[in-house]
Amino acid sequence: MAVLLLAEMAENGLNRDATAKAVTAVKALGDVTVLVAGTGAQAAATEAAAIDGVGKVLVAEGDAYAHRLAEPMAALVVALAPGFSHIAAPGTTDARNVLPRAAALLDVMVIPEVSRVVDADTFERSVYTSAAVQTVKSADATKVLTVRIASFDAAGEGGSAPVESAASADAPALSSWVSDEVAASDRPELTSAKRIVSGGRAVGSKDNFAIIEKLADKLGAAVGASRAAVDSGYAPNDWQVGQTGKVVAPELYIAAGISGAIQHLAGMKDSKVIVAINKDEEAPIFQIADYGLVGDIFTILPELTEKL
Amino acid sequence: MKVLVPVKRVIDYNVKARVKADGSGVDLSNVKMSMNPFDEIAVEEAIRLKEKGAATEIVVVSVGVKQAAETIRTALAMGADRGILVVAADDVHQDIEPLAVAKILKAVIAEEQPQLVIAGKQAIDNDMNATGQMLAALLGWGQATQAGKIEIEGNAAKVTREVDGGLQTVSVTLPAIVTADLRLNEPRYASLPNIMKAKKKELTEKTAADYGVDTTSRLTVVSTREPEGRKAGIKVGSVDELVSKLKAAGVI
Ligand SMILES: Cc1cc2nc3c(=O)[nH]c(=O)nc-3n(C[C@H](O)[C@H](O)[C@H](O)COP(=O)(O)OP(=O)(O)OC[C@H]3O[C@@H](n4cnc5c(N)ncnc54)[C@H](O)[C@@H]3O)c2cc1C
Ligand SMILES: Nc1ncnc2c1ncn2[C@@H]1O[C@H](COP(=O)(O)O)[C@@H](O)[C@H]1O
């Protein structure tokens, strides 16, 4: 059995954390070949080759892969599919765009956001806004899956896999890239951060988000937000934690002025230690928090920032 | 331009799903069901395109149990023109997989010839986030998933997608599939007169067999369980107490 793992690319390089977590998830399934495609693929390939558990790295260069558009990426994955029992990727927005398309081209189902690999054809995944965990068994010849990255630890260093180039696959140009709006930040990324401070509707404005950011910076934490905070324009969309935002499991998650709707909990309830700060002592977030503090975020957060 | 919107009947997003004690699945009998929230957004977007003059007709399609007719009626009451119900299951607990739904939708599209399909990005029951992408693959069309903004520009749709790193804008040649994310718009409520009018709108009923699609699942659900529970912890009385607890827990 052999696994083709689509690496996650960051701006001009490998997203090592997401890729290495997916390696951990799938390595019991067989020899892992990592496919690196996109801008900066050579450097990313070198980095991928060093991940412990990687058996081989394939590099696909070419303008078609520069922006990870679904149509050429899916065509590439399908062209390389023969010989692999499993095709996997970390469950990022890129992969969730590409792999279902590739699966349909192979006439197989996709198994999204796998949180545990039981055996070669049996997998666990969360459904119903994470209110239930299903074990599913696939009857397909090729298993195509994405991995819930928050459920796995990153594989370490120590690999020295050979790097080969992959032939690019033909794909009609059905879409084209126009622009990216990526906020540069020195803070850790949400999905790899050990600590996260998230703000909700209570924060009240974009400017006020500074109280969240100051605490985060003091802790070396990433900044998160509820949907209400994002919808209201207090925080950018890529900060959203939850069912439809990012799923995170840091060592410490501080929820400030967030009520604890199930859609938010779906994205953070696997955190190791949860702190909730809310002025409503009945807020549902307290039902899952390890440490709850009832009070006003505008007095508590500055005090907490100072005392750390 | 004709727009087709697939809408799914799912557990209402305000209801917390209950896992059956025997592990056979989630209990959906006597549970409030509604249109998938992302599909409401997709319907709203189609209506706005029509109001702007970019779309001429909106056809909604639902695949599932007979009761999905109610979901279609909701979309018609919001402002969609016509509905197609494809009956493919007789028990509410039977979910039709994205691959099979995509195959049925492909057959419907062959008859309807829409220029644009706006689906939801994800169904909140099975949390698949797959049907739109699979449908695009089967049709050989371009796709733009997780749309936060859609502009029709001649023979293309310019779509801003909500992605992990921020926003990505792509231009996709029509016909194409777009899937709706949360911030695309805020869906309207259907007014009472429109609910009455919707009752007279055309709703065609078909079956999966009419389209020759085999809906047998590729994934068998072996068991369903509750996630590991999390107990409420303690309330602390002050910031100082919080700091000392966090230190004791070794997280700061
Ligand atoms: C399909 C779908 C998907 C969704 N996906 C997500 C998702 O991915 N992520 C997500 O977060 N939500 C998601 N939601 C939305 C979710 O249902 C809630 O609406 C949202 O999480 C609420 O955000 P909030 O807790 O910030 O706001 P609110 O629910 O309004 O809570 C604000 C809280 O702040 C407290 N508060 C107010 N002022 C203060 C103060 N000065 N000091 C301290 N506390 C204060 C209040 O007591 C209250 O508990 C989704 C909804 C749907 C329908
Ligand atoms: N049974 C169905 N009937 C109609 N549309 C569906 C059905 N299943 C999925 N869809 C559409 O596909 C989207 C994504 O669903 P999913 O891939 O299951 O997460 C939904 O938001 C709907 O627009």
Side-chain angles (χ1 to χ4, degrees):
Chain A
M1 281 197 307
V3 186
L4 178 66
L5 177 71
L6 179 61
E8 178 68 12
M9 296 293 277
E11 284 285 287
N12 292 316
L14 185 74
N15 177 336
R16 188 195 183 276
D17 186 70
T19 307
K21 284 173 176 167
V23 169
T24 301
V26 301
K27 70 179 171 204
L29 293 170
D31 290 334
V32 179
T33 298
V34 173
L35 169 62
V36 179
T39 319
Q42 283 297 349
T46 311
E47 213 182 331
I51 296 174
D52 189 27
V54 173
K56 192 205 255 182
V57 179
L58 292 175
V59 191
E61 281 178 303
D63 293 343
Y65 311 122
H67 301 287
R68 318 266 296 158
L69 295 174
E71 302 85 3
M73 289 296 298
L76 176 66
V77 169
V78 169
L80 296 173
F84 291 100
S85 56
H86 295 77
I87 297 174
T92 58
T93 49
D94 269 348
R96 299 191 74 182
N97 193 26
V98 173
L99 283 207
R101 186 176 178 104
L105 294 172
L106 294 167
D107 192 30
V108 302
M109 256 303 285
V110 62
I111 312 161
E113 295 282 285
V114 167
S115 51
R116 194 164 82 89
V117 173
V118 180
D119 61 38
D121 38 38
T122 315
F123 308 89
E124 272 189 14
R125 56 183 302 266
S126 291
V127 290
Y128 288 90
T129 316
S130 299
V133 181
Q134 268 182 354
T135 304
V136 294
K137 198 174 160 72
S138 166
D140 283 320
T142 308
K143 274 76 176 168
V144 177
L145 57 130
T146 63
V147 170
R148 171 166 282 198
I149 47 188
S151 305
F152 299 91
D153 293 328
E157 292 291 306
S160 56
V163 177
E164 292 172 16
S165 45
S168 58
D170 281 338
L174 298 165
S175 67
S176 58
W177 173 82
V178 177
S179 63
D180 282 332
E181 225 176 277
V182 181
S185 165
D186 297 335
R187 296 198 184 94
E189 246 192 276
L190 267 174
T191 50
S192 56
K194 293 217 162 5
R195 297 166 184 158
I196 295 173
V197 185
S198 286
R201 192 195 306 277
V203 176
S205 73
K206 196 175 174 183
D207 289 344
N208 285 352
F209 237 82
I211 61 167
I212 304 287
E213 295 174 50
K214 275 186 190 140
L215 175 58
D217 291 343
K218 192 75 179 265
L219 286 165
V223 182
S226 71
R227 174 187 170 188
V230 176
D231 282 1
S232 310
Y234 310 161
N237 72 290
D238 50 300
W239 289 5
Q240 182 172 315
V241 171
Q243 180 195 22
T244 55
K246 290 185 177 123
V247 176
V248 298
E251 282 170 21
L252 174 64
Y253 188 91
I254 302 182
I258 292 177
S259 60
I262 49 169
Q263 292 86 5
H264 189 79
L265 304 189
M268 45 65 80
K269 68 183 164 138
D270 292 331
S271 305
K272 196 163 147 244
V273 171
I274 297 174
V275 173
I277 303 166
N278 196 302
K279 69 176 181 192
D280 172 12
E281 61 176 323
E282 304 285 324
I285 188 86
F286 287 125
Q287 288 164 22
I288 59 135
D290 299 282
Y291 305 109
L293 186 48
V294 179
D296 190 333
I297 55 168
F298 293 103
T299 53
I300 291 172
L301 293 185
E303 186 186 341
L304 181 57
T305 307
E306 194 192 302
K307 287 184 170 159
L308 282 170
Chain B
M1 178 175 80
K2 192 194 274 189
V3 181
L4 188 133
V5 183
V7 295
K8 188 176 187 188
R9 180 177 187 268
V10 298
I11 188 168
D12 186 86
Y13 81 94
N14 281 309
V15 178
K16 189 172 187 293
R18 268 180 309 113
V19 175
K20 286 194 250 178
D22 65 359
S24 64
V26 161
D27 195 356
L28 294 175
S29 20
N30 302 317
V31 168
K32 184 177 179 208
M33 305 291 279
S34 300
M35 193 191 307
N36 183 41
F38 294 99
D39 304 354
E40 279 183 17
I41 297 171
V43 171
E44 174 67 34
E45 194 64 17
I47 297 169
R48 291 188 190 186
L49 288 174
K50 194 176 167 192
E51 287 168 348
K52 273 193 262 183
T56 48
E57 191 189 17
I58 303 163
V59 181
V60 292
V61 184
S62 193
V63 179
V65 288
K66 265 191 161 8
Q67 294 92 315
E70 293 162 22
T71 313
I72 293 178
R73 289 282 174 214
T74 306
L76 298 177
M78 286 172 73
D81 296 301
R82 202 149 60 72
I84 300 169
L85 169 66
V86 184
V87 178
D90 41 36
D91 177 356
V92 292
H93 293 92
Q94 189 190 343
D95 193 39
I96 311 296
E97 281 174 349
L99 183 59
V101 172
K103 287 179 179 176
I104 291 169
L105 292 175
K106 182 188 173 192
V108 172
I109 285 165
E111 287 175 0
E112 293 288 336
Q113 303 277 322
Q115 280 292 100
L116 178 65
V117 174
I118 312 179
K121 97 161 176 188
Q122 181 167 350
I124 62 161
D125 49 2
N126 61 24
D127 279 330
M128 284 280 177
N129 186 345
T131 306
Q133 299 89 309
M134 293 191 130
L135 177 60
L138 298 180
L139 290 164
W141 291 6
Q143 70 186 52
T145 53
Q146 318 209 155
K149 191 173 175 198
I150 304 174
E151 292 162 288
I152 304 299
E153 294 183 339
N155 191 32
K158 193 167 125 191
V159 178
T160 300
R161 308 177 52 234
E162 304 220 348
V163 296
D164 284 341
L167 300 169
Q168 180 192 51
T169 303
V170 296
S171 174
V172 54
T173 308
L174 299 176
I177 313 280
V178 177
T179 71
D181 212 325
L182 287 174
R183 276 169 288 280
L184 184 58
N185 60 50
E186 259 199 66
R188 70 194 64 192
Y189 291 103
S191 67
L192 197 57
N194 285 345
I195 293 173
M196 301 311 291
K197 264 197 253 165
K199 293 192 175 143
K200 299 204 194 74
K201 289 185 179 173
E202 185 186 323
L203 199 171
T204 316
E205 199 179 301
K206 299 273 194 175
T207 65
D210 291 340
Y211 299 106
V213 174
D214 177 4
T215 56
T216 311
S217 290
R218 305 295 184 85
L219 304 178
T220 315
V221 179
V222 181
S223 64
T224 306
R225 64 171 172 85
E226 300 236 357
E228 275 87 43
R230 236 198 133 93
K231 291 191 300 296
I234 54 160
K235 289 243 171 71
V236 292
S238 68
V239 169
D240 290 316
E241 196 185 340
L242 177 61
V243 171
S244 67
K245 291 284 184 206
L246 293 179
K247 280 193 178 135
V251 290
I252 57 170

